[in-house]
């Protein structure tokens, strides 16, 4: 499949030159093409932020919702139509700040969706305030004396919640990123992919160079089914590991637990309510 | 002493602590009374706690059809110590009090009938049986056949195991024995005409009716966060989800609940979320999203007193303004507020059709009183209902492409927000057709992509607001009850319907009519005509600001003359409505000019027990 089929003609791309979102978009298209994902059955959902605009630049069904809220509609979209491939694109502020509660509960629900978080450790769209993943001591217009909160660790949190797929990749390593995206999309269950991604305009600390110097790849010997080991690796600082940290294929997905699919896999919009059945139910109230 | 209660109806109140089984007795007795051939109505008031406190349930037994709360208590069954004090304002010299001899040992009143409920219960197997003994006593004095009562007990307790059922049946028989003795001693005597036809009627409570309306409206997805008094509808839908292909999900909060609903709706499932005022406040951002992405959703609001958490288990009509203005920006909507079971069913069913037809958020305003009442009616679904199809060519889609509920099969050139004459664009869903369905919370072009083109922005605002014209054409008209040449016009909406209607039936006045709104927004075009025709208008609302009265003024310029506002957490009683109307007629008789402000009287401060 040609990745170009996912191009949106004449899209007015609002990202800054040099933004790490560009390689993420390009790589996601390539991953989708290599997986031969049916474009007509692909839904991209997002919240607000620069990353939230990605669905407008990738030809697919699009649900661009409210700040922090992408996971709730994405869960429901997949739940009412299991034939759809649902991917959420979000930023660190959107997913770990405003939408933190939903992330926690979506991991618990385990819908079969993929969530790609463009993590640039800063608020870009609102011009450079700290995000939940901003590094300590980073000075911003709001954190005037520097960030003094411990950065949010999405991977450790996700592994603690026994998320079914947890990975981190880097927008400066296309091959690695593509492989992780493909594995995440193929994975049955909730997949969280945190992508280190530089913001050239507002984050002068965590640049391409910084990410290159401060990351390394998990060894081939890393066993993603070892939850304790995965958690340990997710809490490493100094140099941050990249790769698939954790996988649990033994969890039921949200959709699999729904009684509507116990006998019939068809999407809900194809199912008509039998009004006579309601009438019969009411009639039963004539006796105890 | 001897008390004879005869005539049309008797009001029985059971009062006890939470955990004493008052609601179980209510559920059994309403069945037994109906099967016994009487009309029945029940309503409960309870405190926000799991055990203790004082809760009461009123059960009216009548030869007439009834559906309203009364203050009057003819028989009080006091199961707890605090019961008499809790209800002292409603107890009159005509109230017969039945209670446990130990519990009421300090009560010195000639009209108190003391019965060793607890002792007998302990002999049967424990104090838990006291409530069933009381129910047995009441069933006997109401002349309900023991067999019928046993049938109700069995239906209630069979699933709890043989041992419990056996105890409850024993307790029933003991209750009947005590009732028999009471009748023999002539301490009590009730003579209400029976009508065998009532046995076959349908006995429902408010929650059931809203629930059936949702099922008949084709609901396929519900996500909600538990909150009194909307939780009962959530339970209803969850319980029927398997039979009706519905996904029910308990959301982590109200924000997730409505956003999940919108996602489900985007993917083609009719969606519902239920909450109360405080929870709805969290949903309002996504009400704006529904408006912007033109994705239908039905929002059921069980109102209770606020602000904030207010009185969690009491009733109110305080969330009209919140619902009316919720959400950032400007977006059309429709608000239903049914006041009786038939309307609750049809308006709820209609809410789903209207939401889909105009791709808007539609609200159903209910309240604690409305969801908790029970009464019998001959039948509920008297007219056929259908999940409407998208058949108007002005909606822009050829019929061949229409799915059954306003969803179209898209083609390659599909544009989700195509500008049409009536503002409604054909609604496609992902995975059905060749087109892409793109929705965005930012301002967008016809395809759904973000735009900052200010001309297009103007067009899109006008397109969305244009839908209001259609919505207005579909408004359910207010119902005029009583003479058409009225002098006094009562205005009410939602659950005030019951007490107003019963008062009107009692008064049999040629001058007074009742204009009952089951849809409160948009207002029906004839509203002004109705109110202008009256010499005097009075509105009844369970809030302190007359929110609906203000809406009428805003939309029509007409200021309603009198406002009867109650906001202590209890519904209006028939007696209160009667008193207001008598006062109003008094003013009318003593004045040559009702509209003279000096003759106006305000009952705003009324705050009964």
């Amino acid at each position: 499949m040609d990745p170009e089929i996912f191009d949106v003609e004449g899209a007015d791309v609002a990202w800054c030159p040099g933004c790490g979102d560009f390689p993420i978009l390009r790589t996601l298209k390539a991953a989708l093409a290599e997986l031969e994902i049916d474009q007509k059955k692909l839904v991209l959902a997002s919240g607000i932020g620069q990353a939230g605009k990605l669905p407008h630049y990738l030809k697919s069904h699009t649900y661009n919702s409210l700040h922090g809220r992408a996971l709730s509609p994405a869960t429901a979209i997949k739940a009412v139509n299991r034939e759809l491939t649902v991917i959420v694109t979000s930023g660190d502020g959107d997913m770990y700040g405003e939408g933190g509660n939903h992330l926690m509960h979506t991991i618990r629900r385990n819908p079969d969706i993929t969530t790609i978080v463009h993590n640039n450790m800063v608020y870009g769209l609102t011009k450079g305030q700290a995000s939940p993943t901003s590094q300590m001591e980073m000075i911003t217009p709001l954190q005037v004396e520097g960030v003094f909160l411990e950065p949010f660790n999405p991977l450790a949190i996700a592994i603690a919640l026994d998320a079914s797929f947890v990975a981190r990749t880097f927008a400066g390593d296309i091959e690695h990123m593509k492989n992780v995206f493909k594995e995440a999309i193929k994975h049955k269950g909730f997949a969280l992919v945190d992508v280190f991604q530089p913001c050239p305009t507002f984050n002068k600390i965590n640049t391409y160079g910084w990410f290159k110097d401060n990351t390394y790849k998990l060894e081939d010997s890393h066993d993603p089914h070892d939850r304790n080991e995965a958690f340990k690796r997710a809490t490493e600082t100094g140099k941050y590991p990249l790769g698939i940290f954790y996988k649990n294929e033994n969890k039921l997905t949200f959709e699999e637990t729904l009684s509507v699919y116990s006998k019939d896999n068809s999407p809900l919009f194809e199912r008509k309510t039998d009004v006579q059945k309601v009438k019969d139910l009411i009639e039963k109230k004539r006796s105890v | 002493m001897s008390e004879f209660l005869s005539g049309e109806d008797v009001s029985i109140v059971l009062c006890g602590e939470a955990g004493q089984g008052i609601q179980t007795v209510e559920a059994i007795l309403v069945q037994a009374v109906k099967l016994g051939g009487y009309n029945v109505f029940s309503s409960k008031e309870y405190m926000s706690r799991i055990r203790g406190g004082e809760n009461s349930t009123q059960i009216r037994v009548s030869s007439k059809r009834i559906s309203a709360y009364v203050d009057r208590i003819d028989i009080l069954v006091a199961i707890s110590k605090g019961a008499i004090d809790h209800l002292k304002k409603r107890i009159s010299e005509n109230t017969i009090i039945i209670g446990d001899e130990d519990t009421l040992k300090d009560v010195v009143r000639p009209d108190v009938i003391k019965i060793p409920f607890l002792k007998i219960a302990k002999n049967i197997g424990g104090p838990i049986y006291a409530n069933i003994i009381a129910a047995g006593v009441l069933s006997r004095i109401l002349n309900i056949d023991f067999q019928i009562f046993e049938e109700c007990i069995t239906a209630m307790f069979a699933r709890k195991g043989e041992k419990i059922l056996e105890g409850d049946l024993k307790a029933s028989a003991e209750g009947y024995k005590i009732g028999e003795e009471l009748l023999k001693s002539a301490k009590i005597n009730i003579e209400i005409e029976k009508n065998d036809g009532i046995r076959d009627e349908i006995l429902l409570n408010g929650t059931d009716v809203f629930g059936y309306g949702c099922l008949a409206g084709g609901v396929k997805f519900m996500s909600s966060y538990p909150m009194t008094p909307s939780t009962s509808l959530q339970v209803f839908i969850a319980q029927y989800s398997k039979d009706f292909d519905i996904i029910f999900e308990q959301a982590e909060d109200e924000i997730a609940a409505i956003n999940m609903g919108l996602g489900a709706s985007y993917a083609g499932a009719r969606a519902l979320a239920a909450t109360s005022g405080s929870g709805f406040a969290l949903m309002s951002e996504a009400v704006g999203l529904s408006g912007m992405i033109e994705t239908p959703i039905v929002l059921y609001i069980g109102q209770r007193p606020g602000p904030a958490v207010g009185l969690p288990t009491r009733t109110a009509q305080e969330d009209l303004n919140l619902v009316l203005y919720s959400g950032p920006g400007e977006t059309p909507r429709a608000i239903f507020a049914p006041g009786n079971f038939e309307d609750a069913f049809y308006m709820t069913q209609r809410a789903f059709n209207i939401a889909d037809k105009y791709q808007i958020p539609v609200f159903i305003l209910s309240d604690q009183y409305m969801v908790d009442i029970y009464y019998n009616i001959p039948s509920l679904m008297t007219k056929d209902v259908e999940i409407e199809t998208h058949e108007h060519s002005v909606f822009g889609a050829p019929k061949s492409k229409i799915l059954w509920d306003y969803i179209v099969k898209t083609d390659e050139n599909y544009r989700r927000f195509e500008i049409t004459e009536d503002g409604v664009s054909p609604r496609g869903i992902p995975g059905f057709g060749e087109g892409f369905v793109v929705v965005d919370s930012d301002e967008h072009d016809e395809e759904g992509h973000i735009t900052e083109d200010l001309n297009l922005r103007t067009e899109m605002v006008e397109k969305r607001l244009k839908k209001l014209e259609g919505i207005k054409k579909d408004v359910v008209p207010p119902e005029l009850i009583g003479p058409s040449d009225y002098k006094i016009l009562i205005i009410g909406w939602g659950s005030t319907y019951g007490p107003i209607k019963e008062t009107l039936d009692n008064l049999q006045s040629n001058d007074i009519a009742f204009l009952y709104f089951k849809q409160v927004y948009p207002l029906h075009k004839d509203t002004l005509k109705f109110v202008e025709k009256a010499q005097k208008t009075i509105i009844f609302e369970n809030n302190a600001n007359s929110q609906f009265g203000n809406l009428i003024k805003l939309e029509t310029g007409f200021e309603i003359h009198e406002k009867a506002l109650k906001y202590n957490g209890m519904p209006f009683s028939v007696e209160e409505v009667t008193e207001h109307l008598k006062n109003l007629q008094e003013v009318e008789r003593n004045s040559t000019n009702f509209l003279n402000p000096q003759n106006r009287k305000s009952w705003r401060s009324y705050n009964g027990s």
Side-chain angles (χ1 to χ4, degrees):
Chain A
M1 197 186 272
D2 186 345
E4 279 178 19
I5 69 159
F6 294 104
D7 289 350
V8 176
E9 231 174 281
D12 173 21
V13 180
W15 293 328
C16 308
C19 176
D21 287 342
F22 287 105
I24 296 176
L25 172 64
R26 213 164 43 239
T27 310
L28 181 58
K29 285 177 183 173
L32 290 167
E34 284 180 26
L35 291 173
E36 309 249 322
I37 298 290
D38 179 355
Q39 190 177 20
K40 299 285 164 64
K41 299 236 160 124
L42 173 65
V43 180
L44 257 64
S46 65
I48 299 300
Q50 294 295 14
K53 292 175 180 168
L54 184 144
H56 286 289
Y57 316 140
L58 193 155
K59 195 156 194 176
S60 62
H61 299 288
T62 293
Y63 187 100
N64 190 182
S65 70
L66 298 165
H67 197 28
R69 311 300 170 216
L71 290 177
S72 304
T75 300
I77 291 165
K78 181 72 184 182
V80 303
N81 188 348
R82 294 178 71 179
E83 294 169 2
L84 301 172
T85 301
V86 181
I87 297 173
V88 172
T89 61
S90 179
D92 41 325
D94 193 50
M95 186 56 58
Y96 307 142
E98 192 101 17
N101 193 30
H102 306 307
L103 174 64
M104 178 161 84
H105 291 282
T106 306
I107 291 172
R108 292 179 57 228
R109 270 185 202 103
N110 196 34
D112 184 14
I113 62 178
T114 303
T115 295
I116 297 170
V117 186
H118 306 209
N119 183 2
N120 59 13
M121 305 178 177
V122 75
Y123 279 10
L125 192 56
T126 54
K127 298 189 194 294
Q129 302 81 10
S131 95
T133 53
S134 288
Q135 306 264 297
M136 304 273 266
E137 294 170 17
M138 179 187 194
I139 292 176
T140 86
L142 289 181
Q143 286 71 30
V144 290
E145 294 183 53
V147 171
F148 52 81
L149 303 181
E150 186 72 37
F152 180 80
N153 185 333
L155 307 185
I157 293 285
I159 295 163
L161 290 167
D162 198 20
S164 70
F165 183 101
V166 183
R168 179 160 58 206
T169 182
F170 167 42
D173 187 341
I174 303 289
E175 271 313 302
H176 189 265
M177 186 160 53
K178 192 170 73 183
N179 181 48
V180 170
F181 286 174
K182 281 167 70 179
E183 290 301 313
I185 295 165
K186 277 195 295 187
H187 177 80
K188 181 177 73 78
F190 182 78
L192 177 69
V193 181
D194 187 74
V195 188
F196 280 155
Q197 166 244 340
C199 171
T201 308
F202 293 109
N203 190 340
K204 307 290 186 200
I205 303 167
N206 309 106
T207 59
Y208 271 106
W210 185 91
F211 281 120
K212 251 177 216 154
D213 292 345
N214 287 281
T215 56
Y216 71 97
K217 285 177 192 144
L218 283 172
E219 313 73 33
D220 289 344
S221 61
H222 174 72
D223 176 8
H225 297 100
D226 184 339
R227 192 167 165 210
N228 286 331
E229 181 62 19
F231 186 81
K232 218 166 99 187
R233 304 302 296 267
T235 55
E236 279 181 28
T237 47
K239 279 202 170 193
Y240 296 89
L242 303 175
I244 296 165
F245 284 67
Y246 182 60
K247 265 203 267 192
N248 182 353
E249 288 98 343
N250 300 322
K251 296 179 81 169
L252 283 176
T253 65
F254 178 58
E255 305 80 61
E256 284 170 333
T257 65
L258 299 172
S259 64
V260 291
Y261 298 115
S262 57
K263 290 189 193 109
D264 178 0
N265 272 329
S266 66
L268 292 194
F269 75 85
E270 289 178 2
R271 306 189 198 185
K272 192 167 181 170
T273 297
D274 180 357
V275 176
Q276 184 58 41
K277 249 173 96 177
V278 184
K279 199 166 190 166
D280 296 344
L281 209 59
I282 297 169
E283 286 301 311
K284 281 189 189 157
K285 291 283 182 174
R286 293 193 190 277
S287 54
V288 282
Chain B
M1 69 161 284
S2 151
E3 291 283 347
F4 290 91
L5 298 167
S6 63
E8 286 179 331
D9 82 302
V10 58
S11 154
I12 299 166
V13 172
L14 296 129
C15 185
E17 294 174 6
Q20 283 192 313
I22 296 279
Q23 290 182 11
T24 310
V25 176
E26 179 193 16
I28 293 165
L29 272 181
V30 288
Q31 291 287 355
V33 170
K34 190 214 80 167
L35 291 172
Y38 302 109
N39 288 295
V40 67
F41 166 86
S42 81
S43 126
K44 58 169 121 332
E45 55 94 15
Y46 56 105
M47 296 172 107
S48 180
R49 54 177 82 184
I50 294 163
R51 290 208 176 265
E54 295 296 336
N55 299 340
S56 75
T57 291
Q58 170 177 78
I59 298 171
R60 293 179 66 191
V61 182
S62 176
S63 60
K64 298 185 300 186
R65 211 165 271 294
I66 38 165
S67 61
Y69 168 79
V70 291
D71 282 327
R72 194 186 80 240
I73 302 178
D74 297 317
I75 299 172
L76 169 64
V77 181
I79 297 178
S80 59
K81 260 184 194 158
I84 293 174
D85 193 50
H86 179 64
L87 294 167
K88 60 179 182 272
K89 284 188 185 160
R90 290 172 60 194
I91 296 172
S92 74
E93 53 191 21
N94 298 320
T95 305
I96 302 167
I97 300 172
I98 301 174
D100 183 72
E101 63 181 13
D102 291 337
T103 309
L104 299 186
K105 64 176 182 289
D106 303 330
V107 179
V108 190
R109 283 173 69 123
D111 49 3
V112 172
I113 300 170
K114 292 177 185 172
I115 294 166
F117 286 124
L118 283 170
K119 266 184 209 144
I120 302 168
K122 275 177 196 154
N123 287 339
I124 294 169
I128 54 159
Y129 295 109
N131 59 347
I132 302 301
I133 302 170
V137 174
L138 290 169
S139 296
R140 179 62 197 99
I141 62 181
L142 287 166
N143 261 318
I144 294 164
D145 290 346
F146 185 62
Q147 266 172 311
I148 289 174
F149 187 68
E150 262 195 323
E151 196 190 327
C152 297
I153 292 285
T154 309
M156 174 67 77
F157 296 107
R159 66 193 156 83
K160 293 202 172 176
E162 228 165 88
K163 206 177 162 205
I164 290 181
L165 177 62
E166 199 183 305
D168 282 308
L169 288 172
K170 218 183 264 179
S172 316
E174 287 295 331
Y176 259 70
K177 235 188 268 171
I178 299 164
E180 188 73 40
E181 282 160 27
L182 282 178
L183 289 177
K184 270 189 202 151
S185 68
K187 278 185 181 162
I188 205 161
N189 188 14
I190 298 171
E191 283 174 20
I192 292 166
E193 209 178 302
K194 285 190 185 187
N195 175 352
D196 282 346
I198 293 168
R199 279 169 213 243
D200 296 325
E201 290 199 354
I202 299 172
L203 179 64
L204 298 168
N205 81 351
T207 297
D208 294 335
V209 177
F210 285 111
Y212 296 134
C214 291
L215 297 180
V219 65
K220 284 279 168 276
F221 187 95
M222 182 186 201
S223 48
S224 289
Y225 188 84
M227 184 173 186
T228 307
S230 73
T231 314
S232 55
L233 184 69
Q234 301 177 28
V235 171
F236 181 102
I237 298 294
Q239 285 183 341
Y240 287 108
S241 59
K242 209 166 183 177
D243 292 344
F244 285 86
D245 284 354
I246 301 165
I247 295 172
F248 176 85
E249 176 63 0
Q250 181 178 321
E252 57 270 28
D253 56 30
E254 286 84 353
I255 299 172
I258 184 169
N259 280 292
M260 276 190 200
L262 288 171
S265 180
Y266 165 82
R270 287 194 163 192
L272 165 72
T275 185
S276 185
S278 210
F280 179 69
L282 290 178
M283 293 186 176
S284 54
E285 184 193 24
V287 170
L289 180 65
S290 166
M292 190 54 141
I293 64 176
E294 306 193 39
T295 296
I297 188 158
V298 173
L299 299 161
Y300 168 93
I301 322 289
Q303 298 172 96
R304 67 190 217 189
V309 182
L311 290 171
T313 61
R314 307 291 171 175
T315 203
Q317 295 181 305
E318 296 179 12
D319 295 327
L320 173 60
N321 282 347
L322 178 67
V323 161
L324 191 59
Y325 300 112
S326 61
E330 299 170 306
T331 188
R333 64 198 66 199
I335 308 171
F336 294 102
N340 60 48
F341 285 178
E342 209 194 0
D343 289 337
F345 175 75
Y346 286 108
M347 296 302 106
T348 303
Q349 198 271 339
R350 185 179 180 80
F352 287 89
N353 284 336
I354 294 294
D356 271 23
K357 184 170 181 184
Y358 296 104
Q359 303 168 19
I360 53 165
V362 173
F363 302 89
I364 301 162
L365 287 177
S366 167
D367 56 52
Q368 179 268 324
Y369 171 70
M370 186 75 185
V371 303
D372 283 342
I373 57 176
Y374 278 89
Y375 60 85
N376 58 294
I377 49 172
S379 51
L380 185 66
M381 204 197 287
T382 51
K383 298 176 282 191
D384 285 339
V385 295
E386 61 169 330
I387 293 159
E388 287 176 7
T389 52
H390 186 170
E391 57 191 345
H392 306 285
S393 57
V394 288
F395 284 73
K399 244 185 161 177
S400 60
K401 283 203 261 169
I402 293 162
L403 196 67
W404 48 276
D405 53 356
Y406 291 106
I407 289 169
V408 298
K409 189 168 189 173
T410 58
D411 58 29
E412 278 177 355
N413 300 315
Y414 178 72
R415 288 170 301 160
R416 175 65 189 86
F417 302 105
E418 185 185 323
I419 293 177
T420 58
E421 213 165 295
D422 55 13
V424 180
S425 319
R427 179 173 154 233
I429 56 171
F432 185 57
E434 293 303 302
F436 288 105
V437 183
V438 177
V439 301
D440 194 283
S441 56
D442 281 86
E443 191 55 273
H444 42 252
D445 59 19
E446 287 181 276
E447 269 185 29
H449 289 295
I450 297 178
T451 184
E452 295 196 46
D453 176 333
L454 303 184
N455 291 326
L456 194 51
R457 153 71 186 176
T458 307
E459 277 182 68
M460 280 294 167
V461 170
E462 286 163 1
K463 168 209 184 312
R464 289 188 291 264
L465 294 182
K466 191 87 201 248
K467 291 194 270 187
L468 197 57
E469 287 172 22
I471 301 167
K472 279 182 176 166
K473 282 186 199 138
D474 276 335
V475 167
V476 180
E479 188 180 328
L480 185 74
I481 300 162
S484 54
D485 54 343
Y486 48 84
K487 289 199 179 90
I488 293 174
L489 183 67
I490 308 169
I491 294 147
W493 59 282
S495 72
T496 56
Y497 170 87
I500 297 174
K501 173 74 167 47
E502 185 168 332
T503 305
L504 214 64
D505 290 347
N506 292 343
L507 290 177
Q508 295 282 325
S509 164
N510 294 324
D511 294 338
I512 309 177
F514 170 29
L515 189 63
Y516 151 53
F517 285 83
K518 34 193 120 171
Q519 182 165 0
V520 288
Y521 185 81
L523 277 187
H524 190 262
K525 59 178 172 28
D526 291 341
T527 303
L528 185 60
K529 272 186 230 161
F530 278 117
V531 289
E532 273 184 338
K533 205 174 141 188
Q535 293 179 22
K536 194 93 178 172
T537 49
I538 177 167
I539 192 164
F540 284 84
E541 295 191 64
N542 282 129
N543 61 57
N545 280 311
S546 188
Q547 297 186 11
F548 187 53
N550 293 338
L551 178 62
I552 291 176
K553 180 157 188 217
L554 187 74
E555 298 273 314
T556 68
F558 186 91
E559 175 137 30
I560 293 163
H561 303 111
E562 305 293 345
K563 292 170 177 180
L565 306 171
K566 184 173 182 181
Y567 40 87
N568 70 346
M570 288 289 285
F572 280 104
S573 65
V574 173
E575 290 94 332
E576 281 165 4
V577 177
T578 309
E579 194 190 321
H580 284 304
L581 293 183
K582 283 196 171 149
N583 285 336
L584 196 68
Q585 282 177 305
E586 199 71 24
V587 174
E588 187 187 2
R589 268 194 293 275
N590 296 337
S591 164
T592 49
N593 178 10
F594 317 134
L595 302 183
N596 181 343
Q598 285 177 346
N599 293 324
R600 286 195 191 172
K601 211 173 159 184
S602 173
W603 293 282
R604 167 182 288 269
S605 59
Y606 186 91
N607 246 344
S609 63

